Amino acid sequence: MKIKNTRKLLTTPLLVSAICALVGGGLLLYYYLYAKDSSIASFVTCYAIVAVGALSLISIVFILIEQHYKIKTLKQGQELIAKYLSNDTNVSAQKTNYYSIQFQYELDNQVYTRKTKYEFSWGEVLTLKAVGEFKIRLLNGRIVLDEDLESLFENNKEKIRQEEQKYYDAQSKIEEILKNMQ
């Protein structure tokens, strides 16, 4: 749903594939040309490193295809208004939680409910919850967010602060209940 910077999306897979190609290829040349007693395990390890680089290059193709469709949807898609319903998280990486958003939109007098991938940060979730309604684009079943989350955040800081305070109040009440139970 979110459109990310293409350059940032491709940086990691390109680095991994380049490093794997250099390391794996270099080790293969070394073992083939210079090492006198190289084992089969050393060649298998080199081929495994090269295979990881090749898989990384293949992932770049899939990232580019997905990004192309998101950009096409943003340019040619039908503009709709979505209503925030809820959020969910069960994905975390590097001590950061990623959230999925459930939202509704209306198309041809019919209401649809959809859920995004786990791609939103907590601040982005609060922003979308605070504004309540946001623009999306729809094309061939693909939906992308047609809002700049940073400008939405800047324009709605007070609403976002109020939403955040609700969570802090609820959390302190839960902690108080748990404390009283002991």
Side-chain angles (χ1 to χ4, degrees):
M1 179 166 190
K2 272 181 23 177
I3 296 181
K4 299 175 185 166
N5 185 328
T6 306
R7 187 174 295 144
K8 287 182 182 179
L9 282 174
L10 296 178
T11 302
T12 303
L14 278 173
L15 278 173
V16 169
S17 61
I19 290 170
C20 287
L22 290 173
V23 171
L27 285 173
L28 271 173
L29 284 173
Y30 171 76
Y31 288 129
Y32 186 72
L33 296 175
Y34 300 111
K36 295 178 182 173
D37 293 330
S38 53
S39 66
I40 292 176
S42 59
F43 283 104
V44 170
T45 303
C46 294
Y47 284 123
I49 293 171
V50 171
V52 168
L55 289 174
S56 182
L57 279 175
I58 291 170
S59 73
I60 290 172
V61 172
F62 288 109
I63 290 170
L64 285 173
I65 290 170
E66 182 179 351
Q67 191 72 355
H68 167 74
Y69 282 123
K70 284 182 177 181
I71 292 171
K72 182 177 178 180
T73 302
L74 185 63
K75 289 180 180 176
Q76 300 173 2
Q78 179 181 0
E79 186 176 311
L80 301 169
I81 299 295
K83 180 183 177 189
Y84 173 92
L85 296 177
S86 66
N87 62 282
D88 179 33
T89 184
N90 65 5
V91 175
S92 63
Q94 299 173 354
K95 297 182 181 181
T96 303
N97 288 335
Y98 291 96
Y99 296 84
S100 171
I101 299 209
Q102 188 173 18
F103 61 96
Q104 270 184 349
Y105 64 94
E106 186 177 329
L107 179 66
D108 299 329
N109 295 324
Q110 192 169 15
V111 177
Y112 296 92
T113 302
R114 298 278 297 265
K115 188 175 180 180
T116 67
K117 294 179 182 178
Y118 291 92
E119 60 186 338
F120 292 95
S121 68
W122 178 242
E124 293 168 340
V125 169
L126 282 177
T127 301
L128 292 173
K129 184 175 183 175
V131 296
E133 293 184 341
F134 48 91
K135 292 187 288 186
I136 59 173
R137 295 270 182 170
L138 172 70
L139 181 66
N140 298 331
R142 283 188 172 71
I143 296 177
V144 296
L145 184 64
D146 192 19
E147 295 277 6
D148 180 17
L149 288 170
E150 290 177 13
S151 65
L152 270 180
F153 177 80
E154 290 298 323
N155 296 337
N156 297 285
K157 281 184 180 178
E158 187 56 38
K159 287 181 182 178
I160 295 166
R161 203 170 290 125
Q162 290 171 0
E163 285 296 327
E164 193 170 29
Q165 189 61 44
K166 289 178 188 177
Y167 282 99
Y168 290 140
D169 292 344
Q171 185 177 11
S172 64
K173 286 180 183 178
I174 290 171
E175 288 173 359
E176 185 179 314
I177 289 170
L178 291 174
K179 194 177 195 182
N180 290 336
M181 290 177 67
Q182 294 177 352

